[in-house]
Amino acid sequence: MSTSAQEAQYGFAERWLPRLVLAPSFLLTLFFLYGFILWNGYLSFTVSRLMPNLEWTGLAQYQILFENERWWVAVKNLFIFAGLFIGSGMAIGIGLAIFLDQKIRGEGVLRTIYLYPMALSFVVTGTAWKWMLNPGLGLEKLMHDWGFTQFTFDWLVNSEMSIYTVVIAGVWQSSGFVMALFLAGLRGVDDSILKAAQIDGASLPRIYWKIILPALRPVFFSTLMILSHIAIKSFDLVMALTGGGPGFSSDVPATFMYAMAFTRGQMGVGAASSMMMLATVAALVVPYLYSELRGKKNGE
Amino acid sequence: MQKLKVSLLAASFSIAFSVHAADVEVLHWWTSGGEAKAAVELKKMLEAKGHKWKDFAVAGGAGDNAMTALKTRVVSGQPPAAAQIKGPSIQEWGNEGVLASLDDVAKKEGWDKLLPPVVANVMKYKGSYVAAPVNVHRVNWLWVNPDLLKKANAKVPTTWDEFFITAAALQKAGIQPLAYGGQPWQDATVFEAVALGVGGSDFYKKAFIQLDPTTLSSANMIKALTTYKKLKPYTDKNAPGREWNLATSMVINGKAAMQIMGDWAKGEFLAAGKVPGKDFLCVAAPGTAAAYTFNIDSFAMFKLPNKDAEKGQKDLAVTLMSPAFQEIFNLNKGSIPVRQGMDMSKFDDCGKKSAEDFKATSAKGSLLPSWAHGMAMRSATQGAVADVISQFWNDDSMTAQQASVKLAAAAKVK
């Protein structure tokens, strides 16, 4: 009698405790994330200007958005930035990780030095690089002072090239982080496989290319996920480095959204542009989550 | 535990009710030196009338942060008594149906006689006053460092042709002719002055106030755009992103000879201990001596739930337009009083000239709202037009012709 009562109590706790513990954070997430996404989605179909206004207008805000030249500059910049930021960040990060993996002296110190930029906020990175890339203050002036008067590097103030300066600062900040992720992955690769490959006479580059990097597929994907969402929502870096300028030549969708919704009284257009950003993120994340979750099920 | 709960509840109630009846809450972004001093004066005058001043200052020069805070308060049904809102934004807020009428105050104080009609119209929504103006900034000023001009043996320019002669002479003498800050609003400020100087005030009205598409893509506009772009070789390469006050300090320190900027620049000269007329000159931007582009700060009044608060709000409106406040505030801010018929003896030469021109142009019909400072267009339109100007300035492959077509398209954004 007493044991069954205890069992029942235990069973109750086992069944309800996890749900109770998770409920508050679940509800908060549900409301403050998905609730607001729905709210924003609704706003993008309304006539909202200065303040939210619930009068329905259909796809008019999207039409305004798609006819806006500045939006397309922002989209193009996002693709340039995301492509180069992810590509170069990954390449440099993996390279650094492989070099550091060669059992060299002072690895701890070097690792910290490479990882340190990640500890800075994008605002600090942006401001620092703004000074370094400014032709009258930074690199170009330094070279001129050293006597190389032909040297020019004015991408920051050139509307054709300004987005590439954002790439430079972004890659500088993130490649150390990519290195740390890959280094952890490299350390997790089973030594005996490497030994077997060495005995078979495989060269070191070949071992990396054919055995180690394929084994790091999961690390590769999680890094890709992290970098691509940083790229899509990048706002602070652009704001601090170029302010979206010269003109609006280095605008990205996030800065575009802010300008429309908060400074120009076009909240509907701002909401529509953030829905487009959400769609971009979803296009990346959903297939990934799908493959991940299905993979696990098959594995069981 | 129970006790703690009770005290927490009590605390939250006291916060909720701390905005009680007699408080006059004013949202503003006068947080920098001279402006903050002016805000304190306003507080004193209002408290002398028996009201409690409740400060709602939100830092951030252009007021973007303040506007975000204001939206939150209005949406939640707790608007401040007054907020610093200007130009057509007053109409936008009026459209949201949240502004209170000041007609009884305006009638009693005779605002229609004290304000030029152009200004009064900006303060009205559907024919009734909803906002009180505090100052006038003239935007079409050219600030000149006379020592540098003397060194280059050049004249102070009064037309754009003369400007380019002066600029060439300065450049020949190794002096940078124009200090420039490459931010979209500054691009717009300079272009506005150029367009007014090249096309005259009727052209300006048609293009930027009536947003007439044929004027926006006319030969005159192309000429204005070309003239504007001709300024670029006389600026330096580091201009993009530069703040206006850094550009002003280039003129102060003799690194550049001239700057086109509104009269808030005067504050920088005065703060550096410079004397108007001797260390620096203030002249109308080339070709615009007979016109005046204005930028007026004002406070819009919000509908409030109770009568006592409304009383405070009306007293605030009266105080803002009173001669005493208009004088002390504008002496601190560098602008001139918007109230007509004031004694200008305490103001400096630039201020006196500005006040004279304000009156003269108002009579002639060449008193014009500055679109670059949100006095002529709705914020969405203004942003789109400023985007084109900025793009044209920065993109050397765009022709004036293309830019004028884009301008006409941008003006359709509502």
Side-chain angles (χ1 to χ4, degrees), chain B residues 353-381:
Chain B
K353 182 162 171 13
S354 178
E356 275 165 29
D357 287 355
F358 184 67
K359 213 175 151 191
T361 54
S362 166
K364 274 193 301 192
S366 54
L367 180 60
L368 306 162
S370 157
W371 67 265
H373 292 274
M375 299 304 297
M377 306 172 192
R378 297 176 72 153
S379 45
T381 323

Side-chain angles (χ1 to χ4, degrees), chain B residues 28-312:
Chain B
H28 62 88
W29 54 91
W30 291 334
T31 46
S32 76
E35 297 173 334
K37 247 194 257 167
V40 170
E41 293 300 329
L42 181 59
K43 176 184 173 179
K44 272 191 219 150
M45 289 183 192
L46 212 58
E47 281 179 350
K49 290 192 177 175
H51 298 291
K52 214 168 145 240
W53 168 271
K54 193 153 177 284
D55 207 45
F56 186 1
V58 183
D64 291 348
N65 301 340
M67 283 303 112
T68 309
L70 179 62
K71 280 173 201 168
T72 322
R73 288 287 298 272
V74 175
V75 167
S76 68
Q78 285 188 313
Q84 204 180 335
I85 299 172
K86 63 180 196 180
S89 293
I90 296 173
Q91 310 300 318
E92 292 178 49
W93 282 99
N95 285 337
E96 304 283 345
V98 291
L99 296 184
S101 165
L102 287 173
D103 276 345
D104 45 348
V105 176
K107 206 165 180 191
K108 215 171 92 195
E109 301 277 316
W111 285 10
D112 276 333
K113 272 181 237 130
L114 292 171
L115 300 173
V118 195
V119 178
N121 284 340
V122 177
M123 300 301 140
K124 287 175 180 171
Y125 175 68
K126 291 198 174 151
S128 63
Y129 278 99
V130 289
V134 291
N135 66 351
V136 182
H137 282 294
R138 186 180 195 174
V139 183
N140 57 331
W141 280 118
L142 178 73
W143 303 95
V144 180
N145 184 326
D147 293 344
L148 293 183
L149 253 59
K150 211 179 282 166
K151 235 184 246 170
N153 218 351
K155 273 197 316 179
V156 176
T158 55
T159 64
W160 280 106
D161 292 334
E162 283 179 30
F163 179 90
F164 288 109
I165 295 168
T166 301
L170 284 162
Q171 205 162 45
K172 218 172 155 197
I175 300 162
Q176 187 187 325
L178 192 65
Y180 194 89
Q183 292 173 324
W185 72 268
Q186 295 189 62
D187 295 335
T189 303
V190 175
F191 174 70
E192 176 183 284
V194 174
L196 180 59
V198 169
S201 53
D202 286 333
F203 163 76
Y204 182 96
K205 271 187 212 162
K206 265 199 199 132
F208 302 118
I209 301 170
Q210 295 155 16
L211 297 172
D212 173 42
T214 41
T215 312
L216 282 165
S217 50
S218 66
N220 250 344
M221 183 58 79
I222 294 171
K223 198 176 158 209
L225 286 161
T226 316
T227 311
Y228 172 57
K229 196 64 184 268
K230 258 170 83 183
L231 294 175
K232 202 174 177 184
Y234 298 115
T235 65
D236 61 329
K237 226 168 141 183
N238 304 319
R242 180 186 283 144
E243 296 286 340
W244 67 270
N245 52 341
L246 296 180
T248 308
S249 70
M250 289 170 73
V251 181
I252 296 173
N253 299 329
K255 289 211 178 94
M258 298 177 276
Q259 185 190 14
I260 296 166
M261 186 48 61
D263 53 17
W264 43 94
K266 190 173 73 183
E268 298 289 309
F269 283 101
L270 296 180
K274 302 289 178 187
V275 182
K278 187 169 140 282
D279 300 319
F280 69 96
L281 307 177
C282 45
V283 293
T288 66
Y292 193 115
T293 47
F294 66 81
N295 173 20
I296 292 179
D297 285 325
S298 54
F299 278 93
M301 305 293 166
F302 284 84
K303 277 184 191 156
L304 294 175
N306 69 59
K307 285 270 170 271
D308 284 349
E310 269 178 24
K311 173 87 176 52

Side-chain angles (χ1 to χ4, degrees), chain A residues 7-289:
Chain A
E7 241 166 47
Q9 208 177 8
Y10 181 70
F12 174 79
E14 191 180 37
R15 182 173 300 171
W16 287 101
L17 196 62
R19 296 180 196 192
L20 269 176
V21 172
L22 288 178
S25 58
F26 180 74
L27 285 177
L28 286 175
T29 312
L30 202 67
F31 182 71
F32 285 104
L33 187 66
Y34 298 97
F36 282 0
I37 288 176
L38 287 177
W39 169 242
N40 182 63
Y42 186 80
L43 276 186
S44 72
F45 294 110
T46 65
V47 296
S48 302
R49 297 189 61 91
L50 217 51
M51 291 199 300
N53 179 337
L54 299 184
E55 193 184 318
W56 187 265
T57 171
L59 288 169
Q61 304 284 15
Y62 288 89
Q63 198 186 344
I64 295 173
L65 178 69
F66 292 145
E67 281 169 4
N68 190 330
E69 189 192 345
R70 186 169 168 176
W71 167 250
W72 293 110
V73 170
V75 170
K76 191 179 135 215
N77 279 341
L78 176 64
F79 280 103
I80 295 175
F81 174 64
L84 289 171
F85 170 73
I86 297 170
S88 338
M90 284 269 218
I92 295 173
I94 293 173
L96 287 174
I98 291 175
F99 291 145
L100 269 186
D101 194 34
Q102 305 310 314
K103 305 198 170 58
I104 48 173
R105 209 183 296 164
E107 190 204 307
V109 178
L110 287 174
R111 205 172 48 200
T112 316
I113 291 174
Y114 286 137
L115 187 58
Y116 194 69
M118 195 66 191
L120 297 176
S121 91
F122 266 130
V123 176
V124 177
T125 307
T127 311
W129 278 94
K130 182 174 161 183
W131 291 332
M132 285 190 277
L133 296 175
N134 185 306
L137 282 175
L139 199 59
E140 188 175 308
K141 182 167 185 296
L142 185 76
M143 297 308 261
H144 286 195
D145 290 351
W146 282 353
F148 302 97
T149 45
Q150 296 301 310
F151 181 88
T152 46
F153 188 75
D154 57 356
W155 288 7
L156 189 70
V157 296
N158 181 338
S159 58
E160 304 267 294
M161 303 305 284
S162 54
I163 189 66
Y164 297 101
T165 61
V166 183
V167 175
I168 294 173
V171 167
W172 174 80
Q173 166 130 351
S174 65
S175 47
F177 171 66
V178 177
M179 175 211 73
L181 288 176
F182 272 92
L183 198 56
L186 287 172
R187 294 286 148 84
V189 176
D190 195 348
D191 252 4
S192 55
I193 303 175
L194 302 184
K195 293 232 169 77
Q198 273 170 342
I199 290 166
D200 282 348
S203 65
L204 196 61
R206 202 176 162 79
I207 292 176
Y208 270 106
W209 187 245
K210 288 276 175 186
I211 300 174
I212 300 181
L213 288 180
L216 293 182
R217 225 179 85 106
V219 182
F220 190 81
F221 273 107
S222 42
T223 315
L224 191 68
M225 290 310 298
I226 294 169
L227 289 189
S228 44
H229 95 258
I230 291 179
I232 291 169
K233 67 182 191 188
S234 61
F235 173 82
D236 35 8
L237 182 63
V238 179
M239 277 314 216
L241 185 62
T242 64
F248 53 83
S249 59
S250 59
D251 232 3
V252 290
T255 55
F256 175 90
M257 187 277 289
Y258 181 79
M260 292 301 148
F262 297 108
T263 62
R264 290 211 180 157
Q266 286 187 294
M267 200 172 266
V269 177
S273 68
S274 58
M275 288 316 283
M276 296 310 296
M277 284 162 69
L278 178 71
T280 320
V281 177
L284 281 169
V285 174
V286 171
Y288 169 71
L289 285 180

